[in-house]
Amino acid sequence: MSFSKVFCRTCGPLSVGGALLIAWAMMGPQPAQAREEYQPLVVVLPDVDAVAEYTANALYDVIEGKAKKGEGAVLGLATGGTPVPAYALLRKRLKRAADMNLSKVVTFNLDEYVGLPAGHPESYRSYMAENLFVPGLMQGAERENGFSAENIHIPQGDCAAWDGLRDSVLIAQLQKHVDEYEALLRSLGPVDLQLLGIGENGHVGFAEPGSSFEGRTAVVRLTQSTREANRRFFDGDINKVPRRALSMGIASILSAKNVLLVATGTNKAEAVRRMLEGPVDTGVPASALRMHTRVTVVLDSDAASRLSKQ
Ligand code: F6R
């Protein structure tokens, strides 16, 4: 690694190893309920590759730590462009650890679009199949790749499930579905490690600006800025980007024991600054992470470029 800059906001500059040690030493069985404000551990790495490696290692360590005790880690997973290289590295590491039992690993995805046909390449179900699990596994096939299909949870928003319903009935059905999702999250959780990206507008999951910090998994409307940001995945055509999604709320996210938010690129620099240095405010949903005691924010130097301590 040619350059790495890691600092703890309360204890100054740290080596990467030191930061990792502190981050993992802080892991433990304490869900955050606090209303006080805390400073996340901020880790600034030179580039996207280093961020991916850090992220893959963090996920791997939680999976391995639980597996060694004969237990299954509970992971909260994000989609989007940012974690793609991390999932690729994680897959490689898991493949090398062929004797590790992954069948008990439980995963909960943060969100899913409403209204894409089943199997649409841009649905988050397809994304997870492509980037971490295997397609067969997502269709309920046997254990391949070590994970068990029944332990993978992704909100279901495809048309096949919901097509043909009147709008009000559709919303009621979707709400029932997300209530069940939240109940499952509570019964199988708490999540050991929640992975997050951040939107340019400061969203986490699809908890958009203005979302209540008390919010749980819900049917949400995507903002114009999120649809603009995501149109790159839909042939550049905003009209193809769904208007609604199912998403964990801020309170669902904060119920995780540990949170790892990852951001890369200059387009995230302002959102990162507002998350860490602006007021804790529903206008910037990611700022709610400062109400949680165990948050690590991993950035490449571009995403960190607007922080005052650069
Ligand atoms: C995805 C998600 C979103 C993304 C965010 C950043 O599951 O919850 O909050 O993390 O929109 O997306 P990318 O990584 O594509 O910039």
Side-chain angles (χ1 to χ4, degrees), residues 78-83 110-111 124 197-199 203-206 232-233 268:
T79 58
T82 312
L110 277 168
D111 43 18
Y124 289 163
I198 183 170
H203 74 207
V204 280
F206 279 140
R232 69 194 195 278
F233 298 118
K268 298 296 173 69

Side-chain angles (χ1 to χ4, degrees), residues 77-84 109-112 124 127 195-201 203-207 226 229-230 232-233 247 253 262-264 267-268:
L77 298 178
T79 58
T82 312
V84 168
N109 266 76
L110 277 168
D111 43 18
E112 176 61 288
Y124 289 163
Y127 172 105
L195 180 63
L196 296 176
I198 183 170
E200 290 173 30
N201 65 3
H203 74 207
V204 280
F206 279 140
T226 293
N230 285 6
R232 69 194 195 278
F233 298 118
S247 178
I253 290 169
V262 182
T264 54
N267 60 323
K268 298 296 173 69

Side-chain angles (χ1 to χ4, degrees), residues 15-151:
S15 70
V16 174
L20 280 169
L21 268 177
I22 288 180
W24 297 115
M26 290 194 314
M27 293 187 120
Q30 271 188 36
Q33 299 292 343
R35 282 292 169 268
E36 283 172 54
E37 207 181 301
Y38 306 92
Q39 277 300 343
L41 176 73
V42 179
V43 179
V44 183
L45 298 171
D47 54 30
V48 168
D49 290 345
V51 169
E53 195 179 338
Y54 187 107
T55 307
N57 289 344
L59 289 164
Y60 184 90
D61 288 350
V62 176
I63 295 171
E64 186 188 44
K66 285 283 181 163
K68 279 186 175 157
K69 293 192 262 175
E71 297 168 15
V74 184
L75 302 175
L77 298 178
T79 58
T82 312
V84 168
Y87 287 142
L89 289 177
L90 179 62
R91 269 179 86 146
K92 275 195 201 147
R93 282 202 71 185
L94 291 174
K95 205 169 174 183
R96 286 204 300 270
D99 355 327
M100 184 149 51
N101 181 2
L102 299 179
S103 68
K104 292 185 187 165
V105 174
V106 173
T107 65
F108 283 94
N109 266 76
L110 277 168
D111 43 18
E112 176 61 288
Y113 292 113
V114 169
L116 295 180
H120 188 288
E122 294 308 331
S123 77
Y124 289 163
R125 187 164 292 269
S126 300
Y127 172 105
M128 292 311 297
E130 168 107 357
N131 289 294
L132 185 58
F133 307 119
V134 291
L137 186 69
M138 300 300 290
Q139 285 146 23
E142 302 294 303
R143 284 177 194 166
E144 278 184 70
N145 192 13
F147 293 97
S148 296
E150 70 268 21
N151 290 338

Side-chain angles (χ1 to χ4, degrees), residues 271-292:
V272 165
R273 187 195 66 73
R274 293 174 74 202
M275 164 178 66
L276 294 171
E277 298 182 351
V280 173
D281 184 87
T282 56
V284 183
S287 68
L289 297 181
R290 283 158 47 199
M291 302 185 324
H292 193 296

